[in-house]
């Protein structure tokens, strides 16, 4: 047998060499093939049926001439239709894509998006589930499945009453799921304290309790885990059910040590923007916030995210806290009289500017880069994000400005690949993003050492941060902090190097209350930072009453003063 193997060895080596040469030739030939997407998209006045028929014709007659192997060909074409408002045509292209690449997760994700935009939620749900089955780390599919399931729920059940037993069983069900499915449920609370908290909340459940009252008592259980990705959704879903007349009738931001009115709304004749609220219905603000914070999910014991979420949903959190009273009275700092507020008759959340953008001020020697998200895994969104980042830093290099201000405020995360790509444009030395012991949410290459890119920024970099910098955003800031890549200005971030992810949505058996539980734990190389706090700024800067009154950006102005002094 040994002699036989010895005799065959030269033939095996020759076969391997031929195979490798053939594979290399095949790869070269694939890259030289013509674009099939371009070929079928230039038919004059062709219907979508004719376009797809032409695709099959070319594949049958000229299978070697065109690139049928790259799924991005059809995927890009489908999104071109989708972007141009031709949703039905996009659906047909994505259906073809799924047929051609049935074992790839992204075609199902794209088809799910097209069906969703066409209002066919049932087929959208089926395709997102297929995508998630092929790639359990497809967080976009998870999010969309959650959204679709929620859209199908009976939202107007705020006043609905379930039995006490049903409430208790759903509460126990959620607690059990957290303990069994969360990767580190007892990192920030002991198992014993968690069990005691569950029993305390169960004791507050009464017969005749409404659904709105129940979710308020449910929320401290899921928030106690100290995981920003394990939550009821920041009361987003329940907030939509809250009747307008029960909302707290003005908006405010919880800053360093004050609660400042940002929008008096219907009470403009009674309260001015910038006023500091001292009490609400007889209770001091510090007492209110201490209790409400127990109901808000955040990373570890960080207050940065809690403060930001509290401010963002202030009109509803106050209503839940006080048990939905019919009226509110407040007192302001420096005043003794009580002000009875007028209740709202209509309400819409203020529009939040989340556009990505670049501005260059050559005469003042600086540029501002606004990044509200880090793209999304796969598809055109990530490509568009990377293209924007690449072109922005090319413009900055041509302008030769010496200072760059990156505004990450409100950036709740995104894909780690997008964050790493940004860091490679501001880093001056090689860096490692993920710790070697951390699982990788995206490309395995994300665990390798990263080097600055050729068009990276060489001047002074400042990053504006706030409590909404959670998840991947906190990860990025931790690497920045650890490697001294930039000066951080603003407030404590919502998270740090340690963060859970891979959210999976769940629904209560009886009440259909929905919540998300993380399934993975990711952490960056910045393990020297505290894991239970958000990344801390190098310069703390808070808004003042005058900033609110005059609509001034205190944090941006702080950095501009630093640049001016230099």
């Amino acid at each position: 047998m040994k002699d036989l193997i010895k005799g065959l060895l030269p033939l095996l080596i020759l076969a391997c060499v031929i195979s490798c040469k053939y594979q290399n030739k095949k790869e070269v030939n694939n890259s030289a093939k013509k674009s099939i997407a371009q070929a079928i998209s230039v038919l004059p006045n062709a219907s979508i049926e004719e376009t797809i028929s032409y695709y099959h014709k070319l594949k049958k007659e000229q299978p070697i001439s065109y690139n049928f192997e790259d799924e991005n060909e059809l995927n890009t074409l489908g999104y071109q239709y989708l972007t141009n408002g031709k949703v039905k045509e996009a659906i047909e292209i994505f259906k073809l894509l799924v047929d051609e690449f049935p074992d790839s997760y992204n075609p199902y994700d794209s088809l799910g998006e097209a069906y969703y935009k066409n209002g066919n939620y049932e087929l959208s749900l089926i395709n997102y589930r297929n995508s998630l089955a092929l790639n359990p780390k497809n967080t976009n599919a998870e999010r969309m499945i959650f959204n679709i399931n929620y859209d199908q729920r009976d939202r107007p059940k705020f006043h609905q009453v379930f039995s006490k037993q049903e409430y208790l069983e759903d509460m126990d069900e959620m607690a059990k799921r957290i303990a069994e499915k969360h990767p580190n449920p007892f990192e920030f609370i002991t198992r014993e304290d968690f069990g005691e908290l569950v029993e305390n909340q169960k004791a507050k459940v009464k017969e005749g309790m409404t659904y709105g009252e129940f979710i308020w008592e449910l929320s401290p259980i899921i928030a106690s885990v100290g995981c920003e990705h394990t939550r009821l959704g920041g009361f987003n879903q329940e907030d939509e059910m809250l009747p307008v007349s029960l909302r707290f009738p003005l908006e405010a931001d919880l800053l360093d040590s004050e609660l400042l009115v940002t929008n008096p709304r219907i009470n403009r004749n009674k309260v001015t923007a910038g006023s500091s609220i001292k009490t609400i219905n007889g209770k001091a603000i510090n007492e209110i916030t201490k209790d409400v914070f127990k109901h808000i999910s955040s990373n570890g014991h960080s207050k940065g995210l809690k403060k930001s979420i509290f401010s963002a949903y202030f009109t509803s959190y106050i209503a839940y806290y006080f048990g939905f009273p019919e009226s509110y009275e407040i007192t302001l700092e420096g005043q003794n009289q009580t002000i009875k507020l007028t209740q709202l008759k209509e309400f819409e959340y203020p529009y939040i500017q989340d556009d990505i953008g670049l501005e260059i001020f050559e005469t003042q020697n600086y540029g501002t880069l606004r990044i509200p998200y880090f793209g999304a895994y796969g598809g055109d969104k990530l490509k568009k994000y990377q293209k924007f980042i690449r072109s922005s830093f090319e413009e900055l290099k041509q302008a030769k400005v010496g200072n760059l201000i990156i505004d990450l405020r409100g950036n709740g995360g995104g894909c780690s690949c997008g964050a790493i790509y940004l860091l490679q444009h501001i880093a001056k030395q090689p860096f490692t993003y993920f710790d070697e012991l951390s699982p990788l949410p995206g490309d395995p290459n994300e665990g390798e050492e990263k080097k600055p890119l050729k068009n990276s920024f060489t001047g002074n970099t400042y990053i504006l941060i706030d409590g909404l910098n959670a998840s991947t955003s906190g990860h990025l800031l931790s690497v920045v902090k650890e490697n001294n890549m930039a000066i951080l200005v603003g407030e404590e971030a919502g998270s740090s190097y340690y963060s859970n992810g891979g959210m999976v949505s769940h629904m209560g058996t009886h009440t259909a209350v929905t919540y998300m539980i993380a399934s993975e734990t990711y952490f960056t190389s910045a393990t020297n930072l505290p894991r239970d706090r958000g990344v801390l700024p190098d310069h703390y800067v808070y808004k003042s009453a005058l900033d609110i009154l005059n609509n001034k950006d205190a944090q941006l102005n702080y950095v501009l003063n630093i640049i001016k002094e230099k």
Side-chain angles (χ1 to χ4, degrees), residues 187-188 226 228 256 298-307 467 469-471 474-475 477-478 491-499 526 528-537 540 542:
E187 176 72 24
F188 301 111
E228 65 207 82
D256 184 17
S298 69
N299 190 62
H301 305 298
S302 171
K303 291 185 179 180
L305 185 58
K306 289 182 182 287
K307 287 172 60 177
N469 292 134
S471 189
H475 276 167
L477 292 176
S478 71
E491 304 174 37
E492 177 182 347
S495 63
S496 182
Y497 81 92
Y498 178 92
S499 177
N528 291 326
L529 299 178
R531 68 167 53 185
D532 64 339
R533 293 287 305 274
V535 174
L536 303 179
Y540 279 91
Y542 298 95

Side-chain angles (χ1 to χ4, degrees), residues 228-513:
E228 65 207 82
H229 292 93
T230 301
R231 59 180 186 263
L232 288 179
F235 280 89
N236 292 6
Q237 51 167 320
E238 294 78 12
D239 186 68
E240 294 179 16
M241 303 178 191
L242 181 62
V244 172
S245 61
L246 296 181
R247 286 182 178 277
F248 188 71
L250 54 78
E251 297 171 48
D253 273 1
L254 183 63
L255 304 179
D256 184 17
S257 57
E258 290 185 291
L259 181 65
L260 298 182
V261 176
T262 55
N263 188 350
R265 287 189 174 267
I266 199 171
N267 290 283
R268 293 184 183 279
N269 61 331
K270 301 178 182 180
V271 183
T272 59
S275 300
S276 177
I277 302 175
K278 184 168 59 176
T279 67
I280 300 176
N281 285 7
K283 287 201 173 184
I285 294 305
N286 60 350
E287 181 183 356
I288 294 172
T289 55
K290 182 180 178 181
D291 192 29
V292 171
F293 277 13
K294 297 175 184 177
H295 299 256
I296 304 176
S297 295
S298 69
N299 190 62
H301 305 298
S302 171
K303 291 185 179 180
L305 185 58
K306 289 182 182 287
K307 287 172 60 177
S308 296
I309 294 295
F310 175 75
S311 298
Y313 297 99
F314 180 71
T315 63
S316 59
Y317 272 120
I318 295 300
Y320 277 93
Y321 175 76
F322 283 103
F324 320 111
E326 295 182 357
S327 64
Y328 293 95
E329 294 182 350
I330 65 171
T331 59
L332 303 176
E333 292 291 344
Q335 300 180 18
N336 294 322
Q337 71 269 29
T338 299
I339 303 172
K340 185 174 181 178
L341 300 178
T342 303
Q343 290 303 99
L344 295 174
K345 296 179 180 178
E346 57 183 22
F347 178 83
E348 285 186 8
Y349 276 109
Y351 172 74
I352 298 175
Q353 183 73 22
D354 61 353
D355 294 334
I356 193 167
L358 170 70
E359 288 188 272
I360 297 177
F361 303 87
E362 291 189 50
T363 56
Q364 289 98 334
N365 194 30
Y366 77 91
T368 61
L369 189 61
R370 169 68 181 148
I371 305 178
Y373 59 88
F374 294 122
Y377 286 102
D380 286 352
K381 293 180 181 178
L382 178 59
K383 291 180 180 179
K384 289 179 180 179
Y385 165 84
Q386 291 176 327
K387 180 180 179 181
F388 167 77
I389 295 297
R390 183 169 56 252
S391 62
S392 293
F393 279 90
E394 288 172 354
E395 288 184 46
L396 287 165
K397 191 170 186 177
Q398 292 175 1
K400 297 180 180 180
V401 294
N403 300 280
L404 172 62
I405 305 171
I406 302 177
D407 187 356
L408 293 184
R409 292 173 296 183
N411 184 316
C415 69
S416 50
C417 45
I420 293 170
Y421 194 63
L422 173 63
L423 291 180
Q424 287 182 284
H425 285 83
I426 64 172
K428 295 177 175 60
Q429 299 293 333
F431 66 92
T432 302
Y433 189 82
F434 282 112
D435 185 84
E436 59 182 3
L437 299 178
S438 174
L440 304 177
D443 190 327
N445 294 328
E446 292 178 10
E448 300 174 355
E449 182 181 70
K450 300 297 178 181
K451 297 180 180 179
L453 298 177
K454 291 182 179 179
N455 62 336
S456 62
F457 187 72
T458 58
N460 304 310
T461 303
Y462 305 85
I463 301 180
L464 307 181
I465 66 175
D466 63 12
L468 292 176
N469 292 134
S471 189
T472 296
S473 189
H475 276 167
L476 175 140
L477 292 176
S478 71
V479 177
V480 169
K481 186 87 169 180
E482 183 75 6
N483 294 275
N484 297 313
M485 293 184 183
I487 296 174
L488 306 180
V489 177
E491 304 174 37
E492 177 182 347
S495 63
S496 182
Y497 81 92
Y498 178 92
S499 177
N500 299 294
M503 298 178 290
V504 178
S505 59
H506 300 272
M507 185 175 290
T509 299
H510 303 295
T511 63
V513 61

